[in-house]
Amino acid sequence: MAFIDTALEVVSGARAEILIFIFAVAAHAILFGRHGVSLNFRKTQPGKSGSSKTVSSGARSPKTSSNSAQLARSVQKLLASPVSEQKLVQEMEKYLTGLPASEQVEALSSLLTSVGRSTSKELLSACRTTLANLGTAPSTRLTDSLLRGFLTLRLHSDFKSFLNDIEAKKALSAGGSVLALRAAVQMGDLEETWARLPAVAEAWKATVGMTASGAHGQLFERLVRFTLEKNQLPQLLDKLQAAGIVASWSVEHLIKECVRFGSQSGHLETILALAKTQSVPLTGPSYGALIQGAPTTEESRKLFAEASKNGQATDRDVLLAASAAALRTEDSLEDAREIANSLETTARKCKEAFQNAEVAAALLRLALPGAPLEGRAVELYDSCLRDSDFSSDAQTEGLLITSLLAAKRGTDVAKVVAAAESARQTGLIKVVAGGRNLADCVSVFQACTQKTACHYNALLDAAIFCRDMKEAERIMQEALGAQMADIVTYNTMIKAHLQSGGIRQARRLVERMRQNGLEPNTVTFNELIDASVRSAPHEVWPLIEEMKAAGLQPNHVTCSILLKGISRNSPPADVERALAVVDAKEEEGMDEVLLSSVCEACVRSGRLDLLKQQLQRQRGPGAVQIQGAHTFGSLIRSYGCLGDVPEVWRSWNEMKKRLILPTAVTLGCMVEALAANGEVEAGYEIIKDHMADPSLRSLVNAIIYCSVLKGFSHSKRFDRVWTIYNEMKDWKMQFSIVTYNTLIDACSRSHDMDRIPILLEEMSAAGIDPNLITYSTVIKGYCQENSIDKALKLLEDMKKDKKLSPDEVTYNTILDGCARYGMWERGMVLLKEMESSGVPPSNFTLSVLVKLAHRSRNTNEGFRLCKELASKYNIALNVHVYNNLIHSRTAHGDLSRGLETFQEMLSKRVRPDARSYLLLIRGAVASNRPEDVAGFLNAAFGMPGCHPRLATFNSNQLKLRNGLPSETVTEALEGIASCSGSGCEVLAVEMLRAIRGLPNAPRLDSRLSTALTSKAVRKTSYPRTNRQ
């Protein structure tokens, strides 16, 4: 009986532990899915001849297993590409129809487990629909899997709908309750959180006085963080107290989250008072968090003393927090020293607590320059850290070595270095080099008993880092003498020469390497190419050819270097050659880093035609599998530049589907892509969604808001600009000069210049000085409202500011204001001032001057200025300058001279654009020359019959890549038909027919054909009517 009583007592005592274990396993499985612990309870059935057969309680027939496996394979294949819910339902019912309900449920559960994090809304919804169609009730496992899936994908409405169905059937499990609470917190629903808390609190109650498990500890942390954000922590404490779950672990999480959140000390005082009332002892991590979050060093000292008194002085968290507090000497050096001395005393008494690498390193850091125990590193090492392990903190180990070297303790240095393996020894040389004391690096190198090429290379790196090329050359020679110089040794020296601009020295070293029997490798060439991209672009392609001649092929690094060197001013041929190198790597496969580089290079160079070609490959079978938010950001930005809004959304939704959290850059790319393409409200909605989610709110910044501010400003919705501006202030966004420049630009565009002084005062209060863009934007606003005098006065103010000098943009802005109102004399004075200030004019300046001359009726002066300034400043006129010159002729009815300017542009190899032809077409219509209009249309589309004066030019030079816009074609055809003379209407119809027959014909209004045909019929039939 005594044995039975004892057994019952043991079982009774273990009941709480068993309950805790079962709940922890369940919570872990719910929170972490298929990566959780799997329990497989088995029962034994007697077999023949006394043998036994073990059968799983969830055993399935071979048919079920086969169907489950086939279903999983089939569905996973479907999920590899976009698939509808209906298609998934059909596939599920094909395999599940006819099976027992339990086996149907098991098959669906196994399916969701096999899919894991690749699940989708369509799959989860298909599971629900299939269950409903089959009339099958889900098991607890399947219910929890579906709830977890909806929650993971943030499908909150689907989660609520399914949860309501389960609760209506009273089938919600303990795991489901955990998920329901987690969902309420994630959705920011305070009322729902309070409603769900009691069910989970019952399970938490079993852990009173114990350490929380990882599963419900994480959920509890989220709950505390949520209530802090909602300023509802007192209410949470009341509910925890009422539920009887004020325990050491819960107090620990409460304190930690309060410190992380940076909440007011009043919250911590309330928590500590509650713990004291409930006689709950504070854990070491609790004291560690309190010390870390203490507002002053004095408070940290008192808390460390209290922790020591309560037996927590040797806790890892306490020691680390106290060590960090002792480094806050700017607050109170006396308190910092007292903490440091207490730590040293603790270390002497309990050396084993400081054998942990992180704790030992934290104590040794107190001997850094400016720290409380400055200069005592050797003393600390001797007294209590000789047996400590510093291997995980190379920086601290380096501090110890430099301190030992300074104390001339070479024997101890040799001991520390010898104890390290070879890789760590080379790491120590590099760490010691951080102090720029090359002699110490040499001492560590000499302490290494078995030197390898890696040791020599580390020391060579140190010499180069210390900018001692003479010593580097000596080390190189020593490595050669010891036969330890390898390709890395040479590459290190080559890189050093290149970094100092010594391309010739680097090339000589390459030849020397060959003479010594070593061939340059891809790294060698990549270093040479990288240096050439920066300083000698003309040498890049000969290096590529030399690389190939050596039997080496450009790798991904080579491609990245070439792409990095592409800019707005890169020659088109260089851009195409760089992409050709990338395309040659297609067999090896492009990774997402290279894809991102390709997209960014095409955007930077303005080669949207090449960008479009590259992105089209992403839609084919060789598409790169993207896993990073940065690459998605590049894709979104690229599609935004192309104006392909559907692909922008597809990329964004694909990222969300894969559960890849955006970065601030990715979010900024998305908002900018939408705002730049007219979907400003959609961009703003994305910002609002992120601001509403506490876990995503930190991604939003003032720069992202600027995209929608700019979008609303450009679309002249200025009321929305100021509404969002006030919202940004409410959120306490950190404004920058970019923010204020965007707002000032909105003032200029809306002619609301009275707001600008207020914004400038805000800038001054925030310590932000106006820059050139600020002044130029204000000047633009004054010019637009014909306040040139104010603009010129502001220009004078800029000149008085020593930090700012008016640049080309500033002068061009005022010149454009003069052109707007035909102020020729003022414009000429400003041009002379611009030149005398050392600001050279650009093509933009010339285009503005031509416009000024035209509106001032000084057309010939515009031509003279262009010729004179282009020669003086070596400016090659671009298409925009030529277009303004053509316009100045055709607008005055001089089509012949306008066409002469067009011919000059072509002879200078400047390709015309759509505006070039539009100006000529309008001039021809105004001059009643329908044949000329037809000739210009034929030239623009590359059709036979171009204008006679253009016949000497190559048709490819005349043809526009994308043809003419539909609006220009319509205006041209209607212009031909409106000309006086016979056959004009018929010519218009013939031209319309020819243009519509083109492969990439513009989309023209169907009513145009009817109108032109009717007009032609009326004109041709009118004479016959008269004859009758």
Side-chain angles (χ1 to χ4, degrees):
M1 289 295 293
F3 172 76
I4 295 174
D5 290 341
T6 303
L8 289 174
E9 185 178 348
V10 170
V11 171
S12 176
R15 183 172 55 191
E17 284 77 3
I18 294 170
L19 176 61
I20 294 166
F21 174 72
I22 293 173
F23 176 76
V25 170
H28 193 280
I30 294 301
L31 291 173
F32 301 107
R34 63 194 181 100
H35 302 292
V37 179
S38 174
L39 295 182
N40 189 18
F41 296 101
R42 298 180 183 272
K43 58 185 179 180
T44 303
Q45 294 179 344
K48 294 180 181 180
S49 305
S51 63
S52 64
K53 183 179 180 182
T54 304
V55 181
S56 170
S57 61
R60 294 177 289 171
S61 68
K63 180 181 176 183
T64 307
S65 299
S66 175
N67 280 14
S68 295
Q70 290 178 17
L71 175 61
R73 285 195 296 270
S74 178
V75 169
Q76 286 178 349
K77 187 175 180 180
L78 288 174
L79 290 174
S81 56
V83 60
S84 66
E85 177 188 336
Q86 184 180 2
K87 176 65 177 174
L88 289 170
V89 170
Q90 292 172 356
E91 198 70 13
M92 291 176 184
E93 291 183 355
K94 180 172 76 174
Y95 287 100
L96 299 181
T97 301
L99 292 178
S102 61
E103 295 179 4
Q104 291 172 346
V105 170
E106 181 63 24
L108 289 176
S109 297
S110 299
L111 169 62
L112 292 178
T113 300
S114 66
V115 171
R117 294 180 66 85
S118 300
T119 190
S120 66
K121 178 181 180 179
E122 291 76 16
L123 176 61
L124 298 172
S125 300
C127 288
R128 284 191 67 185
T129 304
T130 301
L131 288 170
N133 292 348
L134 297 174
T136 303
S139 64
T140 298
R141 178 189 171 197
L142 181 55
T143 297
D144 292 349
S145 294
L146 287 169
L147 286 172
R148 188 189 312 112
F150 287 130
L151 185 57
T152 302
L153 295 178
R154 295 180 177 270
L155 301 171
H156 296 149
S157 58
D158 295 278
F159 181 92
K160 284 184 176 180
S161 170
F162 187 52
L163 181 64
N164 291 338
D165 289 347
I166 298 303
E167 288 189 309
K169 298 172 185 176
K170 297 184 178 179
L172 186 65
S173 65
S177 297
V178 171
L179 287 168
L181 176 60
R182 184 176 153 196
V185 171
Q186 188 182 96
M187 289 184 279
D189 190 334
L190 188 63
E191 185 177 345
E192 182 74 5
T193 299
W194 296 144
R196 297 291 176 186
L197 183 58
V200 181
E202 282 300 314
W204 283 345
K205 189 175 181 180
T207 61
V208 171
M210 306 178 71
T211 301
S213 71
H216 64 258
Q218 289 182 13
L219 178 57
F220 191 81
E221 285 177 2
R222 294 180 190 176
L223 174 63
V224 176
R225 199 177 309 134
F226 172 59
T227 54
L228 284 168
E229 289 169 351
K230 293 287 186 180
N231 199 24
Q232 295 287 316
L233 185 67
Q235 290 81 343
L236 174 64
L237 295 178
D238 290 342
K239 294 182 183 298
L240 295 178
Q241 188 174 5
I245 52 173
V246 178
S248 291
W249 70 266
S250 58
V251 170
E252 177 183 316
H253 284 299
L254 285 163
I255 291 173
K256 282 184 174 181
E257 288 307 311
C258 280
V259 171
R260 285 188 193 130
F261 192 76
S263 61
Q264 297 176 351
S265 59
H267 284 151
L268 286 172
E269 290 172 1
T270 304
I271 294 168
L272 293 173
L274 177 62
K276 186 175 182 180
T277 303
Q278 300 289 318
S279 300
V280 174
L282 296 185
T283 63
S286 296
Y287 276 114
L290 288 169
I291 294 169
Q292 178 188 347
T296 64
T297 310
E298 181 185 7
E299 186 66 24
S300 295
R301 176 184 59 75
K302 291 178 179 178
L303 285 165
F304 181 46
E306 183 182 327
S308 302
K309 182 180 177 181
N310 292 326
Q312 300 289 353
T314 57
D315 179 85
R316 174 183 169 277
D317 290 327
V318 172
L319 293 173
L320 290 175
S323 298
L327 290 173
R328 297 205 300 263
T329 55
E330 69 281 356
D331 179 15
S332 171
L333 181 59
E334 184 179 346
D335 287 308
R337 283 176 176 164
E338 189 169 339
I339 295 173
N341 291 332
S342 298
L343 284 167
E344 183 183 4
T345 302
T346 304
R348 291 175 186 274
K349 290 179 179 178
C350 188
K351 294 180 181 179
E352 59 271 15
F354 288 80
Q355 289 178 5
N356 173 272
E358 195 174 0
V359 174
L363 178 61
L364 198 58
R365 278 195 291 272
L366 297 180
L368 283 167
L373 303 180
E374 179 180 355
R376 294 181 56 195
V378 175
E379 184 182 339
L380 288 172
Y381 173 72
D382 287 338
S383 63
C384 49
L385 297 178
R386 275 189 173 275
D387 298 325
S388 298
D389 178 16
F390 297 99
S391 59
S392 65
D393 191 331
Q395 295 293 333
T396 308
E397 194 168 25
L399 166 65
L400 174 60
I401 288 173
T402 53
S403 300
L404 290 170
L405 285 169
K408 302 188 183 304
R409 298 272 292 273
T411 304
D412 287 317
V413 171
K415 178 183 174 183
V416 174
V417 174
E421 69 276 7
S422 179
R424 221 172 92 216
Q425 287 175 349
T426 58
L428 284 173
I429 294 173
K430 293 176 181 178
V431 169
V432 173
R436 294 192 180 274
N437 188 332
L438 189 55
D440 284 352
C441 298
V442 173
S443 297
V444 176
F445 173 77
Q446 291 172 345
C448 300
T449 53
Q450 294 184 344
K451 300 176 182 64
T452 65
C454 293
H455 290 84
Y456 279 98
N457 292 335
L459 186 59
L460 185 60
D461 266 328
I464 293 168
F465 179 76
C466 295
R467 298 182 180 179
D468 192 338
M469 287 301 292
K470 185 177 180 180
E471 181 66 10
E473 292 285 358
R474 187 198 66 76
I475 296 166
M476 177 84 178
Q477 291 302 320
E478 186 179 327
L480 287 167
Q483 296 185 341
M484 289 293 177
D486 59 10
I487 189 70
V488 176
T489 316
Y490 281 100
N491 283 342
T492 302
M493 283 299 291
I494 288 169
K495 183 176 181 180
H497 285 305
L498 292 172
Q499 286 176 341
S500 60
I503 294 181
R504 289 183 180 179
Q505 294 93 320
R507 294 291 301 192
R508 283 199 295 267
L509 202 53
V510 171
E511 292 306 315
R512 184 179 171 188
M513 176 169 55
R514 284 175 171 148
Q515 291 168 6
N516 289 335
L518 288 172
E519 287 296 323
N521 61 9
T522 308
V523 175
T524 315
F525 281 106
N526 283 342
E527 292 291 351
L528 292 168
I529 293 167
D530 187 42
S532 298
V533 163
R534 287 183 272 110
S535 59
H538 61 281
E539 294 185 8
V540 169
W541 298 109
L543 276 169
I544 293 288
E545 295 305 317
E546 183 183 341
M547 183 180 187
K548 292 178 179 177
L552 300 170
Q553 292 300 319
N555 60 12
H556 283 194
V557 176
T558 319
C559 295
S560 296
I561 292 169
L562 293 173
L563 294 169
K564 181 180 66 176
I566 292 174
S567 67
R568 169 67 67 178
N569 299 321
S570 296
D574 284 359
V575 180
E576 291 164 10
R577 291 177 77 176
L579 289 178
V581 174
V582 174
D583 292 342
K585 304 299 296 175
E586 195 168 347
E587 292 182 3
E588 297 179 15
M590 181 186 288
D591 59 24
E592 60 178 300
V593 175
L594 192 54
L595 173 63
S596 179
S597 298
V598 167
C599 292
E600 297 295 336
C602 290
V603 170
R604 279 198 310 274
S605 62
R607 292 298 302 271
L608 300 186
D609 55 328
L610 297 177
L611 177 63
K612 192 172 184 180
Q613 292 173 13
Q614 294 293 328
L615 291 178
Q616 281 175 345
R617 299 178 185 178
Q618 269 300 103
R619 302 173 189 175
V624 177
Q625 292 300 311
I626 302 172
Q627 302 296 332
H630 175 78
T631 310
F632 271 112
S634 295
L635 283 181
I636 289 167
R637 184 183 179 210
S638 299
Y639 285 122
C641 290
L642 292 172
D644 193 342
V645 177
E647 281 298 317
V648 168
W649 278 113
R650 190 195 66 76
S651 301
W652 177 258
N653 291 330
E654 180 68 19
M655 182 181 71
K656 291 174 62 179
K657 178 182 175 182
R658 295 188 190 178
L659 306 181
I660 298 172
L661 288 176
T663 63
V665 174
T666 314
L667 177 61
C669 289
M670 183 62 185
V671 174
E672 174 65 23
L674 293 174
N677 286 285
E679 296 199 12
V680 192
E681 286 290 359
Y684 178 51
E685 285 300 318
I686 288 179
I687 290 178
K688 288 203 300 184
D689 289 344
H690 281 70
M691 293 302 292
D693 189 334
S695 65
L696 300 176
R697 191 177 298 155
S698 61
L699 298 178
V700 183
N701 54 42
I703 295 175
I704 295 174
Y705 262 110
C706 275
S707 295
V708 295
L709 286 175
K710 192 187 303 179
F712 284 127
S713 175
H714 289 189
S715 58
K716 300 189 183 303
R717 298 180 63 185
F718 301 110
D719 57 324
R720 301 287 284 123
V721 171
W722 303 114
T723 300
I724 293 172
Y725 160 67
N726 289 323
E727 178 185 309
M728 292 171 70
K729 291 174 71 175
D730 291 341
W731 281 113
K732 294 181 172 55
M733 285 284 161
Q734 191 72 36
F735 284 19
S736 66
I737 185 64
V738 176
T739 315
Y740 284 109
N741 285 344
T742 303
L743 293 167
I744 290 171
D745 182 64
C747 295
S748 297
R749 290 173 181 274
S750 61
H751 304 290
D752 190 2
M753 302 297 287
D754 292 339
R755 285 184 185 263
I756 290 179
I758 300 172
L759 292 172
L760 291 175
E761 285 180 12
E762 279 188 26
M763 287 175 63
S764 178
I768 300 173
D769 295 325
N771 61 10
L772 277 172
I773 297 174
T774 315
Y775 279 106
S776 297
T777 307
V778 177
I779 286 172
K780 182 180 73 174
Y782 285 140
C783 290
Q784 286 175 342
E785 64 175 20
N786 196 19
S787 298
I788 304 297
D789 290 335
K790 291 182 179 179
L792 291 171
K793 183 180 181 304
L794 193 56
L795 178 64
E796 292 303 316
D797 292 342
M798 285 180 69
K799 293 177 184 177
K800 295 174 184 176
D801 190 334
K802 294 181 179 179
K803 297 179 183 178
L804 296 172
S805 295
D807 64 355
E808 180 205 328
V809 175
T810 311
Y811 282 109
N812 286 343
T813 301
I814 304 180
L815 279 172
D816 192 54
C818 294
R820 188 187 298 269
Y821 300 104
M823 299 177 177
W824 174 258
E825 289 78 12
R826 278 198 173 185
M828 291 302 97
V829 171
L830 195 64
L831 175 62
K832 289 181 181 179
E833 182 183 317
M834 178 181 181
E835 291 186 88
S836 63
S837 299
V839 179
S842 66
N843 263 309
F844 188 87
T845 313
L846 297 184
S847 67
V848 172
L849 289 173
V850 173
K851 183 166 66 173
L852 171 61
H854 167 61
R855 294 189 176 179
S856 306
R857 300 187 180 278
N858 285 319
T859 302
N860 291 333
E861 282 297 301
F863 278 81
R864 183 190 64 78
L865 277 173
C866 274
K867 184 176 180 180
E868 182 182 303
L869 294 174
S871 174
K872 182 178 179 180
Y873 293 100
N874 195 25
I875 302 172
L877 304 189
N878 64 15
V879 66
H880 304 294
V881 179
Y882 276 115
N883 282 346
N884 281 1
L885 289 170
I886 292 169
H887 183 235
S888 68
R889 295 299 190 192
T890 57
H892 289 96
D894 195 347
L895 175 62
S896 178
R897 295 180 74 180
L899 189 53
E900 184 180 311
T901 304
F902 185 74
Q903 289 174 297
E904 179 188 331
M905 177 176 76
L906 294 172
S907 67
K908 297 291 186 181
R909 300 286 181 183
V910 178
R911 292 185 66 91
D913 63 9
R915 183 169 179 253
S916 310
Y917 282 108
L918 176 63
L919 293 169
L920 292 173
I921 287 168
R922 286 177 175 172
V925 171
S927 301
N928 196 39
R929 299 177 66 91
E931 294 84 3
D932 287 358
V933 178
F936 296 141
L937 287 174
N938 287 331
F941 283 107
M943 298 188 297
C946 74
H947 195 283
R949 288 176 62 177
L950 304 179
T952 57
F953 296 99
N954 189 299
S955 61
N956 288 330
Q957 189 179 358
L958 296 169
K959 182 182 177 181
L960 299 180
R961 283 196 182 97
N962 298 315
L964 289 170
S966 57
E967 298 83 3
T968 302
V969 175
T970 301
E971 182 179 340
L973 295 176
E974 289 178 343
I976 292 173
S978 67
C979 289
S980 59
S982 61
C984 294
E985 297 81 4
V986 175
L987 177 60
V989 173
E990 289 174 350
M991 289 302 302
L992 174 61
R993 188 181 301 117
I995 291 170
R996 279 190 168 165
L998 294 171
N1000 296 318
R1003 301 183 67 177
L1004 300 172
D1005 193 329
S1006 59
R1007 292 172 293 184
L1008 176 63
S1009 176
T1010 305
L1012 293 177
T1013 304
S1014 299
K1015 203 169 186 180
V1017 169
R1018 284 198 302 272
K1019 280 289 184 80
T1020 53
S1021 63
Y1022 182 72
R1024 287 197 295 272
T1025 305
N1026 284 345
R1027 283 195 297 272
Q1028 290 173 354

